[in-house]
Amino acid sequence: MNRRFTLEILDTITDPGKPGRPNEDRFGFNDCAAFVLDGATGLGDRQFMGGFGSDAAWIAEFAASRLSERLDGSIDPAAVLRQISSEARSAFLTAAGDQPRYAWPLCSLTALRATDAGFQYFGLGDSCLYVLHDDGTSDFLIPIPGAYEWEQQQAARHIARLGGIGLIRGDQTDPVTLEELRRGRALQNTPDGITWTFGIVPEAADHIFRCDVPLRGGGAYAILCSDGLADLVALYKAYDAPGLVRQAMDKGLPSLVEELRRLERETDPEGLTFPRFKQSDDTTAVLLRLTDQAASSASSAAVVGT
């Protein structure tokens, strides 16, 4: 079927933050959509869903496999997410029984799809989209504006109290930080909280952020990514939004992950300069080419007629 608006996958990458630990990120795509899911590190006392390394990896995989099959250019994404979340809730509660809300698995979602009317972005949580249009302008889209700055502030408090990431071997070994994280996690996907993510709360689908992404100049390159890769812009300030996309276009996504790992593990392994809860985070990204075929055809016709 001929489509006016097309989405092409140019490159993908997913890389665990630490060797030997499960990668809790996932990505997926089909002929009209692409997405990235970032599982939130579990805060419970044990794992309930076997076979994936963690409950966070399970929920990300559960969503990714079903979104690839069900998401198209016309269906309401909220309806798709609500149904998948209902299925995930049933599976988790059957296996885990009654658990505190902070132990419920969840993940962020960033997604882009081509519809008959153009490109539509939607998401939940703190994964994001960078767009570099053919006219040189750029966009940055995230369901929770200010999420990265807020997390950096919380991590800075944590680092100041404990003296560095290496000294504490991860945020969950500190009872004060763990209690704060559990309190915040329990408020997610509730009317009393401010954060909506994908997980086992179907009504979170009613709170997805969505917007149109009009192309400027007839086309664009874009990166869908988890917050791991976004740290190159938001935390380390190694790139601005258009610079990140250009680097991916010129050198490939692996070059960005290599640079990120150097910053995390060599430049600032303790998080003293760039505060964060983990030395290295799982990192996933999809590089896309977005095209308006009508605009491209018009541009070609103008060149031929000149």
Side-chain angles (χ1 to χ4, degrees):
M1 181 176 64
N2 292 326
R3 290 190 175 96
R4 173 177 173 178
F5 300 98
T6 60
L7 179 153
E8 179 184 2
I9 308 298
L10 301 180
D11 197 7
T12 64
I13 194 167
T14 185
D15 187 70
K18 185 176 182 180
R21 292 189 63 182
N23 185 347
E24 296 172 338
D25 286 2
R26 294 293 189 275
F27 70 87
F29 54 84
N30 54 34
D31 63 349
C32 68
F35 53 84
V36 168
L37 295 137
D38 180 0
T41 300
L43 300 177
D45 295 321
R46 52 161 293 194
Q47 177 185 342
F48 296 99
M49 309 305 288
F52 297 89
S54 72
D55 292 347
W58 169 78
I59 192 66
E61 176 66 27
F62 191 97
S65 61
R66 287 158 179 78
L67 280 172
S68 295
E69 296 171 352
R70 303 179 191 180
L71 188 62
D72 61 28
S74 59
I75 196 168
D76 178 10
V80 175
L81 291 172
R82 189 180 303 109
Q83 180 60 42
I84 296 173
S85 182
S86 295
E87 295 168 9
R89 180 182 181 89
S90 177
F92 181 78
L93 294 181
T94 297
D98 187 27
Q99 299 297 327
R101 289 187 73 102
Y102 64 71
W104 291 4
L106 53 85
C107 58
S108 66
L109 165 68
T110 185
L112 187 69
R113 67 174 180 165
T115 73
D116 290 341
F119 293 96
Q120 182 188 56
Y121 173 78
F122 63 93
L124 289 162
D126 62 358
S127 295
C128 66
L129 170 70
Y130 296 98
V131 183
L132 177 60
H133 298 274
D134 285 357
D135 69 356
T137 60
S138 64
D139 292 316
F140 169 65
L141 296 171
I142 186 170
I144 309 174
Y148 298 152
E149 293 78 6
W150 182 86
E151 182 165 334
Q152 290 167 27
Q153 292 171 2
Q154 302 307 305
R157 292 173 50 208
H158 171 70
I159 293 292
R161 185 172 67 250
L162 296 167
I165 296 172
L167 297 177
I168 55 170
R169 301 183 306 280
D171 51 84
Q172 292 186 47
T173 62
D174 171 52
V176 175
T177 297
L178 178 58
E179 179 58 31
E180 290 178 355
L181 292 173
R182 282 179 166 177
R183 187 163 51 247
R185 183 73 59 85
L187 289 173
Q188 286 193 29
N189 301 320
T190 73
D192 295 328
I194 59 174
T195 301
W196 296 90
T197 49
F198 178 86
I200 64 169
V201 181
E203 52 267 36
D206 299 329
H207 298 269
I208 65 169
F209 172 82
R210 68 176 103 188
C211 67
D212 294 332
V213 185
L215 301 184
R216 299 190 287 273
Y221 291 90
I223 295 176
L224 288 163
C225 63
S226 60
D227 60 345
L229 193 77
D231 275 347
L232 284 170
V233 177
L235 179 60
Y236 298 105
K237 313 297 183 185
Y239 300 93
D240 57 12
L244 186 77
V245 180
R246 289 192 185 100
Q247 177 71 4
M249 293 162 52
D250 295 341
K251 302 294 185 180
L253 292 172
S255 72
L256 290 171
V257 175
E258 290 169 6
E259 183 172 3
L260 175 67
R261 298 309 185 212
R262 284 195 299 271
L263 288 164
E264 292 171 335
R265 297 168 183 172
E266 299 174 21
T267 302
D268 185 39
E270 296 295 344
L272 300 177
T273 303
F274 302 105
R276 55 202 188 276
F277 286 112
K278 306 172 187 175
Q279 184 185 80
S280 297
D281 197 4
D282 298 337
T283 299
T284 299
V286 178
L287 177 65
L288 305 163
R289 173 63 181 170
L290 314 178
T291 306
D292 179 347
Q293 299 292 348
S296 298
S297 298
S299 177
S300 298
V303 171
V304 171
T306 298

